Amino acid sequence: MAIDPMTDFNAKRRQLLTLAVLGGGGIVCGGLAWLYHASKPSNKAALIGNSVGFNQRFHCVVADWQGNPIYQIALPQRAHGVAISQQSTMGFSDAVAFARRPGSYFQVFDYQTGLKKQLIQAEADRYFYGHGVFSVDGKFLLATQGIKQSSQGLIGIYDVEQDYKKVDEWHGIGIGPHEVIGLNDGSYAVGVGGVHTQGREALNLDTMQPTLTRLDQTGRIISQVGLGDKKLSIRHLGYDQHDLILCGQQYRGQPDDYPALIAMQQGEGELISLNAEPEQWARFNHYIASIAVVGDYVLATSPPGNCYGIWSISQNKLLELQPLPDASGVVAHNGEFFVSSGSGEVVTRSPLDDVQRFNSTIRWDNHWNAIPS
């Protein structure tokens, strides 16, 4: 029986992509040799992230640069992102851990002492999406939220001086806002995922309208830009301090399709996808967790893909694709990347070389934040 060449080609392509997802043949990772180092606690607070412990125990962890824990703040449920105040400009050292979507709480604590402060509950008809940020003056905490019945998005505004009392809401940004970050001029960017959910079940995948949305300091929408493929749910954001925003997506389309999962926007311009081959995008398993920028280089992680990638912005080219079990958070500091993982491994590296790996006792979960110096 004759074999249709196109059928044979597609079968081989599916086989190749399946191997790529599993970390097998067809994908060549960067050939850097790992350097293993003993990790000695420095007791200097540098990083904050959430952890998943055994027996459903969840914490927010303050750690040094090698991931050694200094404080572990017990949390009532699994958390996702963290907002950090800047003591030098805001005058206080609060951090806020946000419950994972659909979240019911956020926990405030002092990252210098580990002292627990306010535990704020969402209203009965609201939930948290897992991210927030302090206003540039430190007077307010902004949190991404949704209305339970519709997933219509809003930004909850909490007054820091009134013990994080909710004082306002910004509406009209669309369904499913996820991460919000502050920009240099005091405005904000929001990754609006576009997905209406009941619990964590998606209900509107055929009508999604994800956008990268910019808001001014009063919550007025400055711009909303989407991608051509509406099944790319815009979720996590990175920023390079030159008004270049990177957004990472979760793909909610066909499981055998592997579109670009990261895009960049300069100013209020259009979104431009970062380049990689479909076989390389397959390694990320349809999800980008965290993004950081060092100069011309972008590092993005994927927990379900058990990997991270490094791109050159100017070349728009994937330079490395490295394995890392449950690759989770990444931050940039002094020209280096610091990467966490759910396996407890911590990787520190310059963009192109000098890779070091440390052992951590923490099962890091999704995101890291650097404490401002």
Side-chain angles (χ1 to χ4, degrees):
M1 180 176 64
I3 298 175
D4 179 7
M6 184 55 67
T7 301
D8 185 49
F9 171 81
N10 288 333
K12 290 180 179 178
R13 179 177 181 272
R14 284 193 296 271
Q15 183 183 33
L16 175 61
L17 293 178
T18 300
L19 288 170
V21 170
L22 296 174
I27 299 296
V28 179
C29 295
L32 295 175
W34 291 108
L35 301 178
Y36 291 86
H37 292 262
S39 181
K40 296 180 180 180
S42 69
N43 293 321
K44 181 179 179 182
L47 298 161
I48 302 178
N50 298 304
S51 71
V52 177
F54 296 101
N55 299 319
Q56 296 297 298
R57 294 179 180 177
F58 306 106
H59 293 83
C60 193
V61 182
V62 179
D64 65 16
W65 284 115
Q66 283 73 49
N68 297 302
I70 299 171
Y71 303 115
Q72 297 193 55
I73 296 88
L75 301 173
Q77 296 173 344
R78 185 178 177 184
H80 191 67
V82 178
I84 304 179
S85 67
Q86 189 161 347
Q87 191 169 26
S88 62
T89 58
M90 300 177 188
F92 60 99
S93 53
D94 283 0
V96 181
F98 294 90
R100 181 176 181 250
R101 173 186 67 84
S104 62
Y105 76 92
F106 65 73
Q107 175 69 64
V108 185
F109 64 94
D110 188 321
Y111 59 76
Q112 296 290 7
T113 66
L115 177 66
K116 268 189 178 182
K117 301 175 77 171
Q118 296 87 355
L119 178 67
I120 304 298
Q121 299 289 338
E123 304 94 316
D125 61 345
R126 301 283 192 270
Y127 59 87
F128 294 108
Y129 272 101
H131 287 276
V133 68
F134 283 94
S135 61
V136 69
D137 57 9
K139 292 183 178 180
F140 300 101
L141 175 73
L142 285 66
T144 53
Q145 291 189 267
I147 299 172
K148 285 185 177 180
Q149 295 82 359
S150 64
S151 299
Q152 284 295 330
L154 59 101
I155 305 294
I157 311 298
Y158 295 82
D159 190 323
V160 174
E161 294 182 351
Q162 294 190 60
D163 293 329
Y164 292 86
K165 176 184 177 181
K166 192 173 191 178
V167 294
D168 199 3
E169 291 183 341
W170 296 345
H171 290 264
I173 57 177
I175 290 176
H178 193 70
E179 184 165 14
V180 55
I181 62 172
L183 306 180
N184 286 335
D185 61 359
S187 63
Y188 305 96
V190 187
V192 180
V195 182
H196 173 32
T197 57
Q198 184 174 35
R200 292 185 64 82
E201 180 185 358
L203 303 177
N204 70 328
L205 297 184
D206 291 332
T207 59
M208 292 168 52
Q209 293 293 326
T211 64
L212 177 60
T213 298
R214 291 186 182 232
L215 307 173
D216 70 13
Q217 297 182 39
T218 69
R220 181 180 65 88
I221 295 175
I222 300 171
S223 67
Q224 288 189 295
V225 180
L227 291 159
D229 188 341
K230 300 304 180 186
K231 295 295 178 68
L232 286 164
S233 178
I234 297 175
R235 301 176 64 78
H236 295 122
L237 305 179
Y239 190 52
D240 80 339
Q241 303 303 313
H242 298 290
D243 206 33
L244 181 71
I245 298 174
L246 284 300
C247 57
Q249 282 66 258
Q250 179 180 21
Y251 183 58
R252 308 305 295 265
Q254 295 298 316
D256 287 341
D257 291 341
Y258 297 99
L261 296 175
I262 305 172
M264 53 187 174
Q265 182 195 48
Q266 186 73 56
E268 299 173 30
E270 295 300 310
L271 289 171
I272 300 172
S273 294
L274 292 188
N275 289 327
E277 295 299 322
E279 292 81 3
Q280 294 168 322
W281 285 121
R283 283 290 307 279
F284 291 86
N285 203 8
H286 297 148
Y287 184 80
I288 297 295
S290 298
I291 305 172
V293 184
V294 170
D296 185 48
Y297 303 98
V298 175
L299 190 151
T301 68
S302 173
N306 297 302
C307 69
Y308 68 85
I310 297 178
W311 281 259
S312 164
I313 297 172
S314 61
Q315 300 177 63
N316 194 353
K317 179 181 179 181
L318 178 64
L319 303 178
E320 289 186 29
L321 185 51
Q322 293 287 352
L324 180 63
D326 199 16
S328 299
V330 59
V331 298
H333 176 72
N334 285 347
E336 291 187 303
F337 292 115
F338 295 76
V339 190
S340 70
S341 75
S343 66
E345 296 178 15
V346 173
V347 175
T348 68
R349 57 168 300 158
S350 65
L352 297 179
D353 51 25
D354 191 24
V355 181
Q356 301 179 49
R357 172 184 270 173
F358 299 91
N359 293 319
S360 168
T361 60
I362 303 299
R363 297 171 65 193
W364 298 102
D365 191 14
N366 244 69
H367 297 292
W368 250 1
N369 294 72
I371 294 174
S373 56

